[in-house]
Amino acid sequence: MELTVVGKSPAMPDAGGAQSGYLVADGAFKLLVECGGGVVAKLRQFTDLASIDAVLLSHPHADHAMDLLPLGFALAHGLGLASPARPPLWVPPGAAAVLNDFSRALGMGSQIDDAFTVREYDPNLPLRIGPLTVSFAEVPHYVRAWACDIRADDGGRLTFGADCGPNGALVELSRDTPMLMLEATEGPGPHRGQHVRGHLTAAEAGELAQAAGARTLLLTHYSDLHDPRALLTAARTGFAGRLELAGELQHYRL
Ligand SMILES: [Zn+2]
Ligand SMILES: [Zn+2]
C-alpha cells in the first residue's frame, strides 16, 4: 500500500497548495481520500484521473469536497471518455444530498451523480472498497465526521483521523497502527479559547498518537503560516515514535 499526499492545506490553502486530498494505492487500485480545493490540479501532475477507482469522504466540508466538481467534470466530460466509469464515491450518512445540492447550487446540475456512483456508507460496518477494507469511528467536529482505518489484505494499514478535536474513539480505532495521519490545524498549541473543539493542536495530535501506540505520526492539514519546527517540537512533547510533517506530492510506503 502506498500513500501520496495530494494536498495538505487547511481551509485557507497554502501558497501554491491544495486542500485535503490523499491518494491510497494498493497495487493498481487507487482510492482518493478527500477531494478539497486544488486537489485535481495536483493529481494531474502525477496520475491519470481516469485511473482513480474510488473516492472516500470523511465529512462533507468544502475543504474536503470542493474539487469533486472539477473531478466530476473531468470524469463525465473533460477526458472525452466514451462511457464514464462512474467510480464509487463513498460518503457519510446524509452527505449525498448535500453534495448534489452543492452541485446544483453552483450551476453544475447533476454532475456529481453523472460522474460518480454515490453511496453512503454505514459507519458501523466495515466497508470493502476494491482490495481495501475501511473501518470508521465518529469523531468530534463541527459537522458529523468519521475517522477511517484503511487496511490492505497484505497487512498494509493507514489510519486517518479526518478533522477532529481530542477524543478517545480515534485512539481505539488507531490502536497499534503503523501510520496515523492526524490534522494539526490548530498549530503548535497550546489550545486557547473556549470554543467547541473540532481540531487538534500538534501537541494534542502527539498525545493522541502516543495513547494509540502508533508507530508513525504524520501531521497534516496544518497551515504554512505555522513554523514547521514548532509543530514538530510540540508533537514530540507527547509522542515517542516516528514523526513527520506531510508534504504535498510526498509518497509513503505503508
Ligand atoms: Zn472539517
Ligand atoms: Zn478540514
Side-chain angles (χ1 to χ4, degrees):
M1 216 170 135
E2 267 181 68
L3 163 69
T4 304
V5 175
V6 185
K8 69 88 181 157
S9 296
M12 187 183 97
D14 295 348
Q19 295 170 332
S20 305
Y22 308 96
L23 192 66
V24 176
D26 184 15
F29 189 87
K30 293 179 185 172
L31 170 66
L32 178 63
V33 181
E34 319 290 58
C35 193
V39 163
V40 169
K42 293 275 180 189
L43 275 171
R44 290 195 62 207
Q45 292 184 322
F46 70 96
T47 198
D48 175 6
L49 298 180
S51 71
I52 294 169
D53 294 291
V55 183
L56 174 67
L57 287 197
S58 67
H59 67 296
H61 262 160
D63 58 317
H64 296 245
M66 189 80 96
D67 258 23
L68 286 172
L69 287 182
L71 181 58
F73 183 87
L75 296 177
H77 310 291
L79 295 172
L81 299 174
S83 58
R86 294 181 74 234
L89 166 59
W90 288 102
V91 301
V98 171
L99 294 172
N100 275 306
D101 288 349
F102 171 63
S103 177
R104 287 189 166 81
L106 294 185
M108 302 306 282
S110 59
Q111 186 157 287
I112 296 283
D113 275 332
D114 292 345
F116 304 99
T117 304
V118 183
R119 297 179 184 166
E120 295 184 355
Y121 50 76
D122 179 348
N124 297 309
L125 298 173
L127 173 66
R128 189 76 175 168
I129 305 179
L132 303 168
T133 303
V134 185
S135 302
F136 301 93
E138 188 164 8
V139 290
H141 192 45
Y142 306 118
V143 297
R144 296 189 78 188
W146 281 268
C148 313
D149 186 52
I150 304 169
R151 298 185 189 229
D153 292 341
D154 67 1
R157 182 181 175 197
L158 166 70
T159 313
F160 169 49
D163 282 358
C164 66
N167 71 93
L170 181 52
V171 173
E172 292 310 312
L173 183 74
S174 57
R175 180 75 62 199
D176 299 326
T177 188
M179 172 71 92
L180 179 55
M181 184 165 66
L182 291 181
E183 58 126 302
T185 303
E186 292 212 21
H191 168 69
R192 291 190 176 85
Q194 298 299 316
H195 62 274
V196 175
R197 300 304 308 280
H199 289 294
L200 295 170
T201 66
E204 290 166 339
E207 289 163 12
L208 199 157
Q210 184 69 22
R215 204 178 311 149
T216 297
L217 169 60
L218 182 61
L219 292 178
T220 190
H221 215 33
Y222 58 87
S223 171
D224 62 358
L225 297 179
H226 295 301
D227 177 357
R229 287 163 302 180
L231 290 168
L232 289 170
T233 300
R236 177 55 78 204
T237 57
F239 181 62
R242 185 182 161 106
L243 180 58
E244 291 194 48
L245 288 178
E248 287 177 0
L249 305 188
Q250 284 183 6
H251 299 268
Y252 303 85
R253 282 211 167 275
L254 305 168

